[in-house]
Amino acid sequence: DYPNSKELPEEQKKYNKDMAAKYKISGYPTAILMDDKGTTFWIRVGGAANKEEYINDIKTGLEKKEEILSGLAKANSAEGMEKAQLLDKILKSMSQDLKELNKNLEEEIISLDKDDTLGYAKARQEAVIIAKQEADFTDFFKKNVYSLMNEQKYDEAIEKLEKYMDETTLAAVN
């Protein structure tokens, strides 16, 4: 906890910082569900539109606890494609926030699934392409459109955007 209304002792600040680093806390509030051995099986980062949504998400995590933990145990003793399939099933059961912290499971599936039967390698390649396209578009927009919009030269800005979109669509097709 990092309260705004009171000063914490240095020892508590250090503990909080260490726990935030250990559990890779990326936002507040964060709820981490784990078993008595400390194995995390559900993470919820951030609040919710209402308390029912938040509580339902935590309930979902508790309902999936056994599926995830037993799946992990089975996967630890499996090999090859069987292990990849078990890890795939586990990932599909995890909260999105926990998936983000378990990219290593995707890497393991990719290394085990040589023929990409489960599609993780293809999805990873597509994500890289999309990220590059987003970065290129953002760069183009900042360099070519943003100032025109600020100068209220909307027609010119739209023209540049249309030309960019036409060119990048043609490049993607070819």
Side-chain angles (χ1 to χ4, degrees):
D1 191 13
Y2 293 93
N4 294 325
S5 59
K6 71 176 188 174
E7 185 65 29
L8 295 176
E10 287 304 315
E11 183 178 300
Q12 184 68 52
K13 287 182 187 178
K14 182 182 179 336
Y15 175 81
N16 291 355
K17 185 177 178 181
D18 291 346
M19 291 297 102
K22 178 179 179 179
Y23 293 105
K24 299 176 178 92
I25 304 299
S26 63
Y28 296 94
T30 294
I32 302 173
L33 305 183
M34 59 183 77
D35 69 3
D36 58 349
K37 297 178 185 99
T39 303
T40 302
F41 61 87
W42 199 260
I43 296 179
R44 166 71 189 228
V45 178
N50 56 57
K51 74 178 182 181
E52 288 79 22
E53 178 188 329
Y54 195 86
I55 289 169
N56 285 338
D57 188 64
I58 299 301
K59 284 181 181 178
T60 299
L62 292 170
E63 290 166 2
K64 298 223 178 225
K65 173 185 177 182
E66 207 48 50
E67 180 182 341
I68 292 169
L69 294 176
S70 66
L72 285 169
K74 288 176 188 172
N76 283 337
S77 61
E79 294 179 9
M81 194 58 192
E82 178 189 3
K83 184 172 189 171
Q85 290 169 330
L86 288 167
L87 293 174
D88 173 53
K89 186 176 179 185
I90 293 164
L91 276 175
K92 288 178 179 170
S93 297
M94 288 181 172
S95 66
Q96 187 58 41
D97 295 318
L98 188 54
K99 284 180 195 175
E100 292 297 320
L101 294 176
N102 280 286
K103 293 291 185 188
N104 60 317
L105 293 181
E106 287 182 14
E107 295 296 331
E108 191 168 0
I109 291 169
I110 290 168
S111 72
L112 294 168
D113 183 9
K114 303 296 183 199
D115 296 328
D116 198 29
T117 306
L118 299 171
Y120 282 83
K122 182 179 181 194
R124 176 70 51 86
Q125 289 171 336
E126 289 171 354
V128 168
I129 290 167
I130 290 169
K132 169 113 175 59
Q133 290 171 337
E134 288 174 350
D136 290 348
F137 178 78
T138 300
D139 186 51
F140 169 82
F141 191 90
K142 286 178 182 176
K143 290 179 180 175
N144 299 285
V145 178
Y146 185 73
S147 61
L148 293 172
M149 298 292 281
N150 283 336
E151 295 169 18
Q152 298 183 353
K153 296 180 180 177
Y154 303 123
D155 290 340
E156 194 176 336
I158 290 170
E159 188 178 307
K160 283 195 181 250
L161 277 171
E162 286 175 342
K163 183 178 180 194
Y164 176 82
M165 297 303 283
D166 288 344
E167 289 172 358
T168 56
T169 302
L170 284 174
V173 171
N174 294 328

